[in-house]
Amino acid sequence: MLLSILYIIGITAEAMTGALSAGRRQMDWFGVMLVASATAIGGGTVRDILLGHYPLGWVKNPEFLMITCIAGIFTTIAAKWIIKFKGVFIRLDALGLVVFSIIGTNVALDMGLHPLICMVSALVTGVFGGLLRDLICRQTPLVLHQELYASVALVASGMYLILLELGISNVIATVSTIIVGYLMRMAAVRFKWRLPSFHLEAEGSIH
Amino acid sequence: MLLSILYIIGITAEAMTGALSAGRRQMDWFGVMLVASATAIGGGTVRDILLGHYPLGWVKNPEFLMITCIAGIFTTIAAKWIIKFKGVFIRLDALGLVVFSIIGTNVALDMGLHPLICMVSALVTGVFGGLLRDLICRQTPLVLHQELYASVALVASGMYLILLELGISNVIATVSTIIVGYLMRMAAVRFKWRLPSFHLEAEGSIH
Amino acid sequence: MLLSILYIIGITAEAMTGALSAGRRQMDWFGVMLVASATAIGGGTVRDILLGHYPLGWVKNPEFLMITCIAGIFTTIAAKWIIKFKGVFIRLDALGLVVFSIIGTNVALDMGLHPLICMVSALVTGVFGGLLRDLICRQTPLVLHQELYASVALVASGMYLILLELGISNVIATVSTIIVGYLMRMAAVRFKWRLPSFHLEAEGSIH
């Protein structure tokens, strides 16, 4: 229940960030709705395709798709106002990331998959929406550069799995994972924590 | 039957537009066949993957794949001649768009899905081939900018669903949808009808 | 058995080429692991999704994913040393291409699919990993330009199918296909054999 409410908040916020990217590419309303929806529900879609988990969430519940399209179009109208709330979006995005990760973990758990695959499922759910957004809008994918984004998904998923394994109730595991994951992401943004990155000169090709 | 013939005309024309894009990127014959096939049958493929509708059309009927590959290679030989018939291609593309939309609607209808998902199915079938072409050829996706392209798929699908709902026979619903959709698309091209687009300055980022 | 060992060598080598591409884009460790894994096991993943062949290989055997992630991270440490062994990688890549093609052919054969689809399955397994790498790293896809890459996958798959059809044992068919495919690819690299390519001026648009 809590997770459902947070999920809807999460896809709405993600759809808005997608719509803003579409706007920077001068897309039309269809493009805005496409990028908004891909950002918000693309991660879950890729996860379900990889795991063979049919029907997809939005095919079963078309209202999720309606929410992301409406959020996208609303953004085209209210963009100037939305941009002022940058801080709110960073918080909602952090919340969405952790919620998506827990949902992704649960989907793989329910299919009886290996814990490592549960963590990959969390990662894909949390990260691939933004990756799709950046591919369609032809931006260098932010999640491959940004402050601990994918890592938060993995840590949240791992912590949630361990808590469940320890016999802790689902509600408590969910709430504590949300709190820890959210704080970790916000700290990563504030203190610019990053994974080490790998720089190679262009001549480093072995093709 | 009519729909099958129109479908083959549609994928042939789409394969040729894909091959021309590949030629502008100096691809080799394999690249040409890949882009031709992705343009022509990529929309149906993405739709079937999203809906979990297996086996895919071209896996079941490999002759469709042969048609798109042959059309692609033929284009490399006859490109100079083909380009002169720009007007013919715009018409065939309009026809293909509506035919793909009706086929996409039917696939989702046969799976018992929600009308909204039937329309999304039409949209994906009609639009994603061109989107894949532009992603592989690293062009800004035309369907996100162009004169009412996605909208024609949605209107055609919605009209077809309403006609069937009203108890009108499938043949009449199909033919009238093709006529209306085709005329709408041709009018959009001629009069440069566009959806409103969403322009945002680069600094409008909330990442 | 032989095929399994060669497969592991193949995905390790491919993961390293993927990691080097990620390094040229200054990605962080997560990006490195993502690109390494997409390069190494992306082809098989796309194949399985297209054929509806679930569960995916790495979902069933998460150790494959661990191998590609470790190979990716190892590459970030040992990049300077790896780049010196360019010749070894070209050989391993050639070997991997043929091994991936035979595996792809076998997957489609076991599903009872048409020989043409078996060849497409080989092609997708052999080629799409590199295609995904280049799409994520925003490079012009090498496989669409390079010396007989896709063609080797098709020839290897066709030869393997014909040998099986002639009643030759699987082991002999596999080994002879690996030898012929490997030599064909190495000859293509050395003598710069290429498919004819298709050059079209930018104004050749029919959009």
Side-chain angles (χ1 to χ4, degrees):
Chain A
M1 179 59 79
L2 172 71
L3 219 52
S4 297
I5 294 168
L6 293 175
Y7 176 71
I8 288 172
I9 294 173
I11 61 174
T12 307
E14 297 297 333
M16 287 178 170
T17 73
L20 291 176
S21 282
R24 284 190 296 277
R25 286 283 174 183
Q26 282 85 48
M27 289 186 186
D28 65 21
W29 281 13
F30 166 68
V32 169
M33 289 190 284
L34 176 76
V35 178
S37 300
T39 309
I41 56 185
T45 299
V46 173
R47 176 202 65 217
D48 286 346
I49 291 173
L50 291 175
L51 301 183
H53 180 252
Y54 287 104
L56 303 187
W58 54 267
V59 170
K60 204 170 161 191
N61 300 297
E63 59 272 20
F64 292 149
L65 196 59
M66 282 167 56
I67 291 172
T68 59
C69 288
I70 292 169
I73 294 303
F74 172 76
T75 305
T76 66
I77 300 163
K80 291 215 164 111
W81 180 84
I82 287 171
I83 290 166
K84 287 181 193 156
F85 291 84
K86 189 170 168 169
V88 176
F89 271 87
I90 289 173
R91 282 172 183 78
L92 289 178
D93 179 66
L95 189 66
L97 173 61
V98 187
V99 170
F100 287 9
S101 302
I102 295 174
I103 291 173
T105 309
N106 276 326
V107 166
L109 266 184
D110 290 347
M111 294 178 75
L113 296 171
H114 189 282
L116 189 72
I117 300 300
C118 294
M119 290 173 71
V120 172
S121 174
L123 184 69
V124 170
T125 314
V127 166
F128 267 63
L131 202 61
L132 283 176
R133 175 194 62 209
D134 295 342
L135 281 177
I136 301 175
C137 295
R138 306 207 307 158
Q139 299 164 346
T140 299
L142 273 176
V143 292
L144 308 183
H145 296 265
Q146 224 180 9
E147 302 90 358
L148 297 199
Y149 202 89
S151 315
V152 171
L154 286 178
V155 168
S157 175
M159 171 178 167
Y160 179 71
L161 285 170
I162 290 170
L163 291 179
L164 290 186
E165 189 66 26
L166 295 175
I168 290 173
S169 81
N170 205 325
V171 176
I172 296 177
T174 301
V175 172
S176 12
T177 303
I178 290 176
I179 293 170
V180 171
Y182 175 82
L183 292 177
M184 177 180 168
R185 170 70 183 147
M186 291 311 292
V189 170
R190 162 158 293 196
F191 303 113
K192 298 196 185 298
W193 290 344
R194 285 166 194 269
L195 282 181
S197 75
F198 175 34
H199 292 244
L200 197 64
E201 297 306 311
E203 60 266 32
S205 178
I206 59 170
H207 298 302
Chain B
M1 177 62 77
L2 172 71
L3 218 52
S4 297
I5 295 168
L6 293 175
Y7 176 71
I8 288 171
I9 294 173
I11 60 173
T12 306
E14 297 297 333
M16 288 178 170
T17 73
L20 292 176
S21 282
R24 284 191 295 276
R25 286 283 174 181
Q26 284 84 47
M27 289 186 186
D28 65 21
W29 281 14
F30 166 68
V32 169
M33 289 190 283
L34 176 76
V35 178
S37 300
T39 310
I41 56 185
T45 298
V46 173
R47 175 202 64 216
D48 286 346
I49 291 172
L50 291 175
L51 301 183
H53 180 251
Y54 287 103
L56 302 187
W58 54 268
V59 171
K60 205 170 160 192
N61 301 295
E63 58 273 21
F64 292 150
L65 195 59
M66 282 166 55
I67 291 173
T68 57
C69 288
I70 292 169
I73 294 303
F74 173 76
T75 305
T76 65
I77 300 164
K80 290 214 163 113
W81 179 84
I82 287 170
I83 291 166
K84 287 181 191 154
F85 290 83
K86 188 169 169 170
V88 176
F89 271 88
I90 289 173
R91 283 173 182 78
L92 290 178
D93 179 67
L95 190 65
L97 172 61
V98 187
V99 170
F100 285 10
S101 302
I102 295 174
I103 291 174
T105 310
N106 276 325
V107 166
L109 265 184
D110 290 347
M111 294 178 75
L113 298 171
H114 189 281
L116 190 73
I117 300 300
C118 295
M119 291 173 71
V120 172
S121 174
L123 184 70
V124 169
T125 314
V127 166
F128 268 64
L131 202 62
L132 284 176
R133 176 194 61 212
D134 296 342
L135 281 177
I136 301 176
C137 295
R138 306 207 304 159
Q139 300 165 345
T140 299
L142 273 175
V143 294
L144 307 183
H145 295 266
Q146 223 182 9
E147 302 89 358
L148 297 198
Y149 202 90
S151 315
V152 171
L154 286 178
V155 168
S157 175
M159 171 178 166
Y160 179 72
L161 284 170
I162 290 170
L163 291 179
L164 290 186
E165 189 66 28
L166 295 174
I168 290 173
S169 81
N170 204 326
V171 176
I172 296 177
T174 302
V175 172
S176 10
T177 303
I178 290 176
I179 293 171
V180 171
Y182 175 82
L183 292 177
M184 178 180 168
R185 169 70 183 148
M186 292 310 292
V189 171
R190 163 158 293 195
F191 303 114
K192 298 195 184 297
W193 290 345
R194 285 167 193 268
L195 283 181
S197 75
F198 174 35
H199 293 244
L200 198 63
E201 297 307 311
E203 59 266 34
S205 177
I206 58 171
H207 297 303
Chain C
M1 178 61 77
L2 173 71
L3 220 51
S4 296
I5 295 167
L6 293 175
Y7 176 71
I8 289 171
I9 295 173
I11 60 173
T12 307
E14 297 297 333
M16 288 176 168
T17 74
L20 292 176
S21 282
R24 285 191 295 277
R25 286 283 175 183
Q26 284 85 48
M27 289 185 186
D28 65 22
W29 281 13
F30 166 68
V32 169
M33 289 191 282
L34 176 76
V35 178
S37 301
T39 309
I41 56 184
T45 299
V46 173
R47 175 203 65 217
D48 286 346
I49 291 172
L50 291 175
L51 301 182
H53 180 251
Y54 286 102
L56 302 187
W58 55 267
V59 172
K60 206 171 160 190
N61 300 296
E63 58 273 20
F64 292 150
L65 197 59
M66 281 166 56
I67 291 172
T68 59
C69 288
I70 292 169
I73 293 303
F74 173 76
T75 305
T76 64
I77 301 163
K80 289 213 165 111
W81 180 84
I82 287 170
I83 290 166
K84 288 182 191 154
F85 290 83
K86 188 170 169 170
V88 176
F89 270 87
I90 289 173
R91 282 170 184 80
L92 289 178
D93 179 67
L95 189 67
L97 173 61
V98 187
V99 170
F100 286 10
S101 302
I102 294 174
I103 292 173
T105 310
N106 276 326
V107 167
L109 266 183
D110 290 347
M111 295 178 74
L113 297 171
H114 189 282
L116 190 72
I117 300 301
C118 293
M119 291 173 70
V120 172
S121 173
L123 185 70
V124 170
T125 314
V127 167
F128 268 64
L131 203 60
L132 284 176
R133 175 194 60 210
D134 295 342
L135 282 177
I136 301 175
C137 295
R138 306 208 305 160
Q139 300 164 345
T140 299
L142 273 176
V143 294
L144 308 182
H145 294 266
Q146 223 181 10
E147 303 89 357
L148 298 198
Y149 202 90
S151 315
V152 171
L154 286 177
V155 169
S157 175
M159 172 179 166
Y160 179 72
L161 285 169
I162 290 170
L163 291 179
L164 290 186
E165 189 66 27
L166 294 174
I168 289 173
S169 81
N170 205 326
V171 176
I172 297 177
T174 301
V175 172
S176 10
T177 302
I178 289 175
I179 293 171
V180 170
Y182 176 80
L183 293 177
M184 179 180 168
R185 170 70 183 147
M186 292 310 292
V189 170
R190 162 157 291 196
F191 303 113
K192 298 196 184 298
W193 289 344
R194 284 166 192 271
L195 281 181
S197 76
F198 174 35
H199 292 245
L200 197 63
E201 298 306 312
E203 59 266 34
S205 177
I206 57 172
H207 297 303

PDB file of all heavy atoms in Angstrom, chain C residues 109-126:
ATOM      1  N   LEU C 109      17.695 -23.900 -33.348  1.00  0.00           N
ATOM      2  CA  LEU C 109      17.452 -25.287 -33.777  1.00  0.00           C
ATOM      3  C   LEU C 109      16.644 -26.043 -32.732  1.00  0.00           C
ATOM      4  O   LEU C 109      15.684 -26.742 -33.062  1.00  0.00           O
ATOM      5  CB  LEU C 109      18.789 -26.011 -33.975  1.00  0.00           C
ATOM      6  CG  LEU C 109      19.401 -26.040 -35.373  1.00  0.00           C
ATOM      7  CD1 LEU C 109      20.680 -26.877 -35.353  1.00  0.00           C
ATOM      8  CD2 LEU C 109      18.426 -26.566 -36.416  1.00  0.00           C
ATOM      9  N   ASP C 110      17.053 -25.889 -31.448  1.00  0.00           N
ATOM     10  CA  ASP C 110      16.360 -26.595 -30.372  1.00  0.00           C
ATOM     11  C   ASP C 110      14.900 -26.147 -30.242  1.00  0.00           C
ATOM     12  O   ASP C 110      14.080 -26.872 -29.689  1.00  0.00           O
ATOM     13  CB  ASP C 110      17.079 -26.361 -29.030  1.00  0.00           C
ATOM     14  CG  ASP C 110      18.418 -27.074 -28.984  1.00  0.00           C
ATOM     15  OD1 ASP C 110      18.677 -27.924 -29.859  1.00  0.00           O
ATOM     16  OD2 ASP C 110      19.221 -26.786 -28.065  1.00  0.00           O
ATOM     17  N   MET C 111      14.605 -24.924 -30.710  1.00  0.00           N
ATOM     18  CA  MET C 111      13.222 -24.451 -30.668  1.00  0.00           C
ATOM     19  C   MET C 111      12.463 -24.866 -31.926  1.00  0.00           C
ATOM     20  O   MET C 111      11.300 -24.502 -32.095  1.00  0.00           O
ATOM     21  CB  MET C 111      13.191 -22.921 -30.514  1.00  0.00           C
ATOM     22  CG  MET C 111      13.768 -22.413 -29.198  1.00  0.00           C
ATOM     23  SD  MET C 111      13.764 -20.594 -29.117  1.00  0.00           S
ATOM     24  CE  MET C 111      11.998 -20.285 -28.838  1.00  0.00           C
ATOM     25  N   GLY C 112      13.129 -25.592 -32.825  1.00  0.00           N
ATOM     26  CA  GLY C 112      12.461 -26.082 -34.037  1.00  0.00           C
ATOM     27  C   GLY C 112      12.169 -24.996 -35.053  1.00  0.00           C
ATOM     28  O   GLY C 112      11.216 -25.101 -35.823  1.00  0.00           O
ATOM     29  N   LEU C 113      13.006 -23.969 -35.089  1.00  0.00           N
ATOM     30  CA  LEU C 113      12.725 -22.847 -35.994  1.00  0.00           C
ATOM     31  C   LEU C 113      13.323 -23.072 -37.381  1.00  0.00           C
ATOM     32  O   LEU C 113      14.190 -23.931 -37.588  1.00  0.00           O
ATOM     33  CB  LEU C 113      13.258 -21.550 -35.370  1.00  0.00           C
ATOM     34  CG  LEU C 113      12.574 -21.164 -34.053  1.00  0.00           C
ATOM     35  CD1 LEU C 113      13.299 -19.998 -33.392  1.00  0.00           C
ATOM     36  CD2 LEU C 113      11.109 -20.800 -34.288  1.00  0.00           C
ATOM     37  N   HIS C 114      12.832 -22.285 -38.333  1.00  0.00           N
ATOM     38  CA  HIS C 114      13.247 -22.329 -39.737  1.00  0.00           C
ATOM     39  C   HIS C 114      14.761 -22.049 -39.852  1.00  0.00           C
ATOM     40  O   HIS C 114      15.292 -21.225 -39.114  1.00  0.00           O
ATOM     41  CB  HIS C 114      12.440 -21.239 -40.469  1.00  0.00           C
ATOM     42  CG  HIS C 114      12.565 -21.264 -41.952  1.00  0.00           C
ATOM     43  ND1 HIS C 114      13.667 -20.759 -42.610  1.00  0.00           N
ATOM     44  CD2 HIS C 114      11.731 -21.731 -42.910  1.00  0.00           C
ATOM     45  CE1 HIS C 114      13.496 -20.900 -43.914  1.00  0.00           C
ATOM     46  NE2 HIS C 114      12.323 -21.498 -44.123  1.00  0.00           N
ATOM     47  N   PRO C 115      15.467 -22.717 -40.771  1.00  0.00           N
ATOM     48  CA  PRO C 115      16.920 -22.493 -40.909  1.00  0.00           C
ATOM     49  C   PRO C 115      17.288 -21.022 -41.085  1.00  0.00           C
ATOM     50  O   PRO C 115      18.296 -20.558 -40.527  1.00  0.00           O
ATOM     51  CB  PRO C 115      17.272 -23.285 -42.172  1.00  0.00           C
ATOM     52  CG  PRO C 115      16.247 -24.352 -42.263  1.00  0.00           C
ATOM     53  CD  PRO C 115      14.991 -23.792 -41.676  1.00  0.00           C
ATOM     54  N   LEU C 116      16.458 -20.271 -41.795  1.00  0.00           N
ATOM     55  CA  LEU C 116      16.753 -18.853 -41.962  1.00  0.00           C
ATOM     56  C   LEU C 116      16.750 -18.142 -40.608  1.00  0.00           C
ATOM     57  O   LEU C 116      17.594 -17.272 -40.332  1.00  0.00           O
ATOM     58  CB  LEU C 116      15.704 -18.216 -42.885  1.00  0.00           C
ATOM     59  CG  LEU C 116      16.010 -16.804 -43.345  1.00  0.00           C
ATOM     60  CD1 LEU C 116      17.151 -16.800 -44.352  1.00  0.00           C
ATOM     61  CD2 LEU C 116      14.785 -16.148 -43.972  1.00  0.00           C
ATOM     62  N   ILE C 117      15.807 -18.512 -39.739  1.00  0.00           N
ATOM     63  CA  ILE C 117      15.743 -17.908 -38.402  1.00  0.00           C
ATOM     64  C   ILE C 117      16.917 -18.389 -37.548  1.00  0.00           C
ATOM     65  O   ILE C 117      17.447 -17.625 -36.729  1.00  0.00           O
ATOM     66  CB  ILE C 117      14.383 -18.218 -37.734  1.00  0.00           C
ATOM     67  CG1 ILE C 117      13.219 -17.648 -38.565  1.00  0.00           C
ATOM     68  CG2 ILE C 117      14.330 -17.646 -36.322  1.00  0.00           C
ATOM     69  CD1 ILE C 117      13.265 -16.164 -38.791  1.00  0.00           C
ATOM     70  N   CYS C 118      17.375 -19.631 -37.774  1.00  0.00           N
ATOM     71  CA  CYS C 118      18.573 -20.098 -37.059  1.00  0.00           C
ATOM     72  C   CYS C 118      19.762 -19.213 -37.418  1.00  0.00           C
ATOM     73  O   CYS C 118      20.585 -18.870 -36.554  1.00  0.00           O
ATOM     74  CB  CYS C 118      18.894 -21.545 -37.433  1.00  0.00           C
ATOM     75  SG  CYS C 118      17.662 -22.723 -36.865  1.00  0.00           S
ATOM     76  N   MET C 119      19.856 -18.825 -38.694  1.00  0.00           N
ATOM     77  CA  MET C 119      20.963 -17.972 -39.112  1.00  0.00           C
ATOM     78  C   MET C 119      20.816 -16.563 -38.529  1.00  0.00           C
ATOM     79  O   MET C 119      21.798 -15.949 -38.106  1.00  0.00           O
ATOM     80  CB  MET C 119      21.066 -17.934 -40.635  1.00  0.00           C
ATOM     81  CG  MET C 119      21.518 -19.280 -41.205  1.00  0.00           C
ATOM     82  SD  MET C 119      21.472 -19.341 -43.021  1.00  0.00           S
ATOM     83  CE  MET C 119      22.809 -18.233 -43.432  1.00  0.00           C
ATOM     84  N   VAL C 120      19.582 -16.061 -38.485  1.00  0.00           N
ATOM     85  CA  VAL C 120      19.362 -14.754 -37.861  1.00  0.00           C
ATOM     86  C   VAL C 120      19.722 -14.826 -36.374  1.00  0.00           C
ATOM     87  O   VAL C 120      20.327 -13.903 -35.815  1.00  0.00           O
ATOM     88  CB  VAL C 120      17.893 -14.298 -38.041  1.00  0.00           C
ATOM     89  CG1 VAL C 120      17.608 -13.046 -37.230  1.00  0.00           C
ATOM     90  CG2 VAL C 120      17.594 -14.064 -39.518  1.00  0.00           C
ATOM     91  N   SER C 121      19.385 -15.941 -35.745  1.00  0.00           N
ATOM     92  CA  SER C 121      19.696 -16.132 -34.328  1.00  0.00           C
ATOM     93  C   SER C 121      21.214 -16.100 -34.118  1.00  0.00           C
ATOM     94  O   SER C 121      21.711 -15.489 -33.156  1.00  0.00           O
ATOM     95  CB  SER C 121      19.100 -17.466 -33.871  1.00  0.00           C
ATOM     96  OG  SER C 121      19.491 -17.775 -32.563  1.00  0.00           O
ATOM     97  N   ALA C 122      21.962 -16.747 -35.019  1.00  0.00           N
ATOM     98  CA  ALA C 122      23.430 -16.710 -34.955  1.00  0.00           C
ATOM     99  C   ALA C 122      23.937 -15.278 -35.109  1.00  0.00           C
ATOM    100  O   ALA C 122      24.803 -14.816 -34.363  1.00  0.00           O
ATOM    101  CB  ALA C 122      24.011 -17.580 -36.065  1.00  0.00           C
ATOM    102  N   LEU C 123      23.375 -14.595 -36.073  1.00  0.00           N
ATOM    103  CA  LEU C 123      23.774 -13.222 -36.374  1.00  0.00           C
ATOM    104  C   LEU C 123      23.557 -12.313 -35.162  1.00  0.00           C
ATOM    105  O   LEU C 123      24.448 -11.546 -34.769  1.00  0.00           O
ATOM    106  CB  LEU C 123      22.914 -12.738 -37.546  1.00  0.00           C
ATOM    107  CG  LEU C 123      23.205 -11.384 -38.124  1.00  0.00           C
ATOM    108  CD1 LEU C 123      24.526 -11.416 -38.853  1.00  0.00           C
ATOM    109  CD2 LEU C 123      22.085 -10.997 -39.100  1.00  0.00           C
ATOM    110  N   VAL C 124      22.367 -12.396 -34.580  1.00  0.00           N
ATOM    111  CA  VAL C 124      22.040 -11.540 -33.439  1.00  0.00           C
ATOM    112  C   VAL C 124      22.970 -11.856 -32.268  1.00  0.00           C
ATOM    113  O   VAL C 124      23.506 -10.948 -31.618  1.00  0.00           O
ATOM    114  CB  VAL C 124      20.560 -11.724 -33.039  1.00  0.00           C
ATOM    115  CG1 VAL C 124      20.262 -11.041 -31.715  1.00  0.00           C
ATOM    116  CG2 VAL C 124      19.652 -11.182 -34.139  1.00  0.00           C
ATOM    117  N   THR C 125      23.201 -13.153 -32.015  1.00  0.00           N
ATOM    118  CA  THR C 125      24.080 -13.544 -30.907  1.00  0.00           C
ATOM    119  C   THR C 125      25.492 -13.007 -31.118  1.00  0.00           C
ATOM    120  O   THR C 125      26.136 -12.524 -30.185  1.00  0.00           O
ATOM    121  CB  THR C 125      24.134 -15.081 -30.784  1.00  0.00           C
ATOM    122  OG1 THR C 125      22.829 -15.612 -30.855  1.00  0.00           O
ATOM    123  CG2 THR C 125      24.790 -15.498 -29.478  1.00  0.00           C
ATOM    124  N   GLY C 126      25.972 -13.071 -32.361  1.00  0.00           N
ATOM    125  CA  GLY C 126      27.353 -12.682 -32.633  1.00  0.00           C
ATOM    126  C   GLY C 126      27.562 -11.186 -32.733  1.00  0.00           C
ATOM    127  O   GLY C 126      28.627 -10.675 -32.380  1.00  0.00           O
TER     128      GLY C 126
END
